[in-house]
Amino acid sequence: MLVLVVNCGSSSLKYQVRELDPGADGGTVLTSGLIENIGSSRIADHTQALELLAERLEDELDGRGIDAAGHRVVHGGELFSEPALVDGGTIGAIEELSPLAPLHNPAAVLGLRAVQQKWPQLPQVCVFDTAFHGTMPEHVWRYAVPEEFYERWGIRRYGFHGTSHDWVTGQAAQFLGVPRERFSCVVAHLGNGASVTAVKDGRSYDTSMGYTPLAGLVMGTRTGDLDPSVVTAVLRRDPELTPERLDAVLNKESGLRAVAGDHDMRAVQEAAERGDERAELALEMAAYRLAKYVGGYHVAVDGAQALVFTAGIGENAAPFRARVCDRLGALGIRLDDDANAARSRETRRISAPDSAVEVLVVPTDEEQAIAAATAALVTGPAAG
Ligand code: ADP
């Protein structure tokens, strides 16, 4: 079957078409692309973007029709703890979750409606970034704040990057030949946004992002964990500072960018190699924060069988992986330096034979995961 994978932003639409055999993992990519500048004079809205997409697909797929669409949706709140086949109420429910993801959910809704309008009979599936973390126990997802915060505004920890953490966990278990339901690990998804997840018996037990994707690790432009008093203190001291502006500072002008002057890991590593002290400090801060999480999560899952690196930094930044693992000797973690330095696009082991915990690099592929989930729901019994 042909599955169209859609990732909608407010002014962009990223797509991929995959061909899948029933029961197979994620199939092969037939075509992919990006439609930008939605909202401009050329492409007025998502409906027009869909017209353009349909024309492109007509060409690129030699007239073959697609069988289903799978959408990436950032926030599923407490409603969606697994991928959902779109029916009468689904799109409205995602729209109602918009206060939790004001930039992302409205864009996904526009994409869902546009696809529905263009191809009314096409089965659609939503795959949520938060869903994998729906298994976190209550003592993990709660914040110790007045109950009203949760009751009125849904303030709790949700976690993100779930599609990637879930996929990578499955790949790692398969690589090690361990049944997933008996596999516990720590997954570090390190891209521009970064999060680390404690996986216990194949399911998410804890994760570093929280109510929003700002929490946890030191990221490209985000602070990660911060004493909340910092927010009230700076708001009080600078009368010009609005919550919106501070939001932008914490999300877009912090992290590696604030410390090293660049958000990009490659650039920061190169600067550190040239002896730039701020770049070196930024790397130490990011590595220390991650190592601290790995130690905590090793305890949370009662001893992880593996530490798994994924995404742009996790898959490619060998010196950064070494920096993190050097701090994890107390867990018995030992890297094989040659295996760590070797470049590959495959799932691989980078730990030494005497390491107490396996260390793996697993390439993530969120589109593949979305396509697989879509095919499973559309062809499975749930589709009727
Ligand atoms: P996003 O969260 O936007 O999907 P990615 O997963 O693509 O991000 O990761 C982007 C990060 O990966 C950037 O910081 C980039 O510098 C880093 N990265 C990519 N390739 C390398 C490399 N070869 N060495 C070090 N860092 C890399």
Side-chain angles (χ1 to χ4, degrees):
M1 72 187 296
L2 297 195
V3 177
L4 169 67
V5 178
V6 182
N7 186 347
C8 249
S10 53
S11 66
S12 69
L13 187 159
K14 212 165 122 187
Y15 67 91
Q16 201 177 73
V17 176
R18 286 180 172 263
E19 177 153 33
L20 290 94
D21 295 326
D25 253 4
T28 48
V29 181
L30 297 188
T31 182
S32 64
L34 176 68
I35 296 173
E36 287 180 291
N37 300 320
I38 301 175
S40 67
S41 52
R42 200 171 62 86
I43 311 168
D45 54 21
H46 285 73
T47 307
Q48 272 196 11
L50 247 288
E51 290 299 330
L52 185 63
L53 174 61
E55 280 171 30
R56 282 196 196 173
L57 294 185
E58 184 72 30
D59 271 1
E60 291 166 5
L61 301 174
D62 291 328
R64 290 178 72 188
I66 52 172
D67 301 298
H71 293 254
R72 173 184 184 223
V73 182
V74 165
H75 224 300
E78 291 184 331
L79 278 178
F80 300 101
S81 54
E82 42 196 61
L85 196 62
V86 174
D87 61 20
T90 315
I91 300 180
I94 293 169
E95 201 164 27
E96 281 178 23
L97 292 168
S98 291
L100 294 174
L103 295 179
H104 295 107
N105 273 31
V109 166
L110 291 173
L112 281 154
R113 292 220 166 102
V115 172
Q116 201 169 46
Q117 200 177 330
K118 180 69 196 168
W119 296 296
Q121 302 306 320
L122 190 74
Q124 296 201 76
V125 169
C126 295
V127 178
F128 302 90
D129 264 21
T130 49
F132 181 55
H133 304 299
T135 51
M136 292 193 297
E138 186 170 352
H139 69 273
V140 170
W141 61 252
R142 282 273 183 188
Y143 289 120
V145 293
E147 183 64 10
E148 190 193 11
F149 289 18
Y150 171 61
E151 295 293 338
R152 288 181 68 181
W153 302 306
I155 291 181
R156 49 158 287 177
R157 301 179 59 239
Y158 292 99
F160 299 86
H161 290 145
T163 307
S164 174
H165 286 296
D166 185 12
W167 172 261
V168 163
T169 297
Q171 298 294 306
Q174 209 173 14
F175 179 83
L176 294 171
V178 181
R180 183 176 171 140
E181 62 279 9
R182 281 194 268 126
F183 182 55
S184 295
C185 65
V186 178
V187 180
H189 174 111
L190 311 177
N192 283 310
S195 68
V196 52
T197 293
V199 176
K200 192 172 184 177
D201 301 328
R203 309 201 300 177
S204 175
Y205 185 85
D206 197 351
T207 193
S208 59
M209 285 178 169
Y211 173 61
T212 72
L214 183 58
L217 303 175
V218 175
M219 306 179 220
T221 62
R222 297 178 216 159
T223 55
D225 293 337
L226 194 70
D227 178 345
S229 298
V230 172
V231 172
T232 43
V234 296
L235 281 175
R236 226 178 267 124
R237 280 176 202 179
D238 181 352
E240 311 258 290
L241 200 58
T242 59
E244 291 69 28
R245 175 73 195 119
L246 184 52
D247 239 357
V249 172
L250 300 177
N251 278 285
K252 300 188 178 140
E253 297 167 23
S254 298
L256 298 181
R257 168 171 286 166
V259 183
D262 202 308
H263 73 279
D264 189 87
M265 178 53 90
R266 247 173 311 198
V268 177
Q269 276 186 352
E270 282 162 16
E273 278 159 26
R274 288 193 306 267
D276 183 311
E277 285 175 15
R278 296 289 295 184
E280 177 62 26
L281 174 63
L283 292 175
E284 280 298 285
M285 288 169 67
Y288 174 68
R289 180 86 54 90
L290 174 54
K292 203 159 72 158
Y293 266 100
V294 174
Y297 285 176
H298 185 64
V299 173
V301 304
D302 261 341
Q305 291 150 276
L307 166 61
V308 189
F309 287 97
T310 192
I313 296 167
E315 292 167 33
N316 300 299
F320 187 72
R321 291 194 300 254
R323 211 181 262 268
V324 174
C325 290
D326 281 350
R327 295 184 172 276
L328 295 170
L331 303 185
I333 286 181
R334 311 259 181 277
L335 275 196
D336 175 326
D337 293 335
D338 292 336
N340 184 44
R343 300 193 59 84
S344 157
R345 294 186 150 275
E346 304 290 316
T347 291
R348 58 200 185 271
R349 177 187 277 108
I350 58 168
S351 45
D354 65 344
S355 182
V357 178
E358 306 265 12
V359 185
L360 307 181
V361 176
V362 177
T364 192
D365 192 337
E366 284 163 286
E367 281 82 10
Q368 188 168 352
I370 292 170
T374 302
L377 264 187
V378 168
T379 56

